[in-house]
Amino acid sequence: MWFKNLSVYRLAADWKPTQEELEDKLAKAAFVPGNKSDMNSMGWVPARENGLLAHAVNGQYLVSLRIEKKLLPATVINQFTRARALEIEEQQGYKPGRKQMREIKEQVTDSLLPKAFSIFRDTRVWIDPQNHWLVIDAASASKADEVIGALAKVIDPLPLKSLYTEQSPAAAMTEWLLADEAPAMFSIDQDTELQSSSENKATIRYVRQSPEKEDVQKHIQSGKQCTKLALTWSDRISFVLSENLIIKRIAPLDILKENQDMNAMDEEERFDADMTLMTAELAGLLQALVEALGGEKQTAK
């Protein structure tokens, strides 16, 4: 249930969709497996098995985007294309030209697609109209953009904007490392990455090891900034903050697991209890993190 990564966006304060409204919109683009000739297909699926497309608990929504891609390596396509081109060369007496090679490659691809394996990737989205968050379980901007594009097709206009803070994460993390102290409610963990702003992007990584303060000072004096920093919030959630404000490697700590007794619950109750706990804790983490970065930057409308 718990998201592993957080790509965070702001929702308009006046956007208060009902579960029925979200369900109707998502249903217009529900996932349908691609046919034999489709390389890719995309659509919305229930976040919980046999559930609704818009799963709701306490005013929070969980939705999930499924992407199907055919596994057809370029090396296989090229191999069959070359073999087919040799056959055609023998038939017509001369090598195929560029245009004919493109046509051969397209024909080969079409013939191989029905035999290709499908791989599926589900990406979950947490919609929090109460605190105005939209959070995608994605560690890269490209995957998050993919989900936003799919949402924009069913919710028009999509009341969404990027999250900006008064202090950049890189500048803040660099200050915390120099001071060897994180803001209130946070503690610095062992994984750290420092990167130069020069063209060579020289990078120093500390894995399961805390850098010495003297070493940090030398790296920063040489022009490096902290681009990734492992942190723990309130002894409850550990994570890695990146320079682009994507939060990675989310992990609830033992204090949360100990406080949640699910033995007497059935599967549906456990799912909802887990979702309730996750959304409440992550909302607290996001609010505290924004405050630690100087508050939210107000952009011109």
Side-chain angles (χ1 to χ4, degrees), residues 143-295:
K143 287 185 178 179
D145 289 344
E146 201 171 40
V147 174
I148 290 171
L151 277 173
K153 290 180 180 178
V154 295
I155 303 174
D156 185 20
L158 182 62
L160 195 69
K161 64 179 182 179
S162 298
L163 174 66
Y164 297 102
T165 53
E166 288 292 341
Q167 190 174 24
S168 73
M173 292 187 294
T174 302
E175 287 184 7
W176 302 342
L177 274 180
L178 275 175
D180 196 22
E181 185 176 359
M185 300 179 68
F186 291 91
S187 58
I188 297 175
D189 295 336
Q190 292 186 318
D191 290 5
T192 307
E193 178 182 282
L194 296 121
Q195 189 176 89
S196 171
S197 56
S198 61
E199 290 184 5
N200 64 10
K201 297 293 182 183
T203 303
I204 302 293
R205 294 186 178 93
Y206 294 86
V207 180
R208 300 187 183 93
Q209 177 185 355
S210 299
E212 296 293 335
K213 190 172 182 180
E214 294 78 10
D215 291 338
V216 171
Q217 290 174 339
K218 290 178 183 178
H219 290 311
I220 293 173
Q221 287 171 358
S222 69
K224 293 184 179 67
Q225 275 194 320
C226 183
T227 50
K228 291 181 183 176
L229 184 63
L231 298 162
T232 292
W233 170 68
S234 197
D235 294 327
R236 302 172 75 81
I237 299 173
S238 68
F239 62 97
V240 173
L241 179 62
S242 62
E243 61 180 334
N244 55 3
L245 204 49
I246 293 178
I247 302 167
K248 303 179 180 181
R249 287 165 44 188
I250 290 282
L253 301 183
D254 290 340
I255 188 172
L256 290 181
K257 298 174 184 177
E258 292 170 359
N259 290 340
Q260 192 174 25
D261 182 12
M262 294 189 174
N263 293 330
M265 301 179 184
D266 61 28
E267 186 177 344
E268 292 184 13
E269 290 172 332
R270 282 196 296 271
F271 188 95
D272 286 353
D274 225 1
M275 179 175 165
T276 299
L277 179 64
M278 182 190 77
T279 55
E281 292 295 329
L282 292 185
L285 165 62
L286 292 176
Q287 183 61 38
L289 185 58
V290 168
E291 292 175 359
L293 295 172

Side-chain angles (χ1 to χ4, degrees), residues 44-146:
W44 300 97
V45 295
R48 179 176 61 78
E49 190 174 358
N50 300 320
L52 296 174
L53 295 176
H55 188 78
V57 177
N58 298 329
Q60 308 291 309
Y61 299 109
L62 200 63
V63 304
S64 185
L65 180 71
R66 175 166 295 171
I67 296 173
E68 176 189 9
K69 291 187 178 181
K70 294 289 178 62
L71 191 60
L72 189 56
T75 52
V76 174
I77 296 174
N78 293 336
Q79 177 185 342
F80 278 83
T81 299
R82 286 192 296 269
R84 180 60 181 148
L86 286 173
E87 293 176 3
I88 292 175
E89 182 180 348
E90 291 177 0
Q91 294 169 5
Q92 65 188 18
Y94 57 89
K95 290 183 177 181
R98 289 185 179 180
K99 181 180 179 183
Q100 191 175 12
M101 283 298 296
R102 285 197 299 269
E103 293 173 349
I104 293 170
K105 190 171 185 178
E106 289 173 0
Q107 292 167 2
V108 166
T109 302
D110 290 342
S111 67
L112 291 175
L113 269 176
K115 304 173 186 178
F117 290 103
S118 290
I119 55 174
F120 299 90
R121 171 166 53 86
D122 290 356
T123 303
R124 293 175 301 167
V125 184
W126 162 38
I127 300 172
D128 179 2
Q130 298 173 5
N131 298 297
H132 321 306
W133 297 117
L134 185 140
V135 180
I136 301 170
D137 189 355
S140 68
S142 59
K143 287 185 178 179
D145 289 344
E146 201 171 40

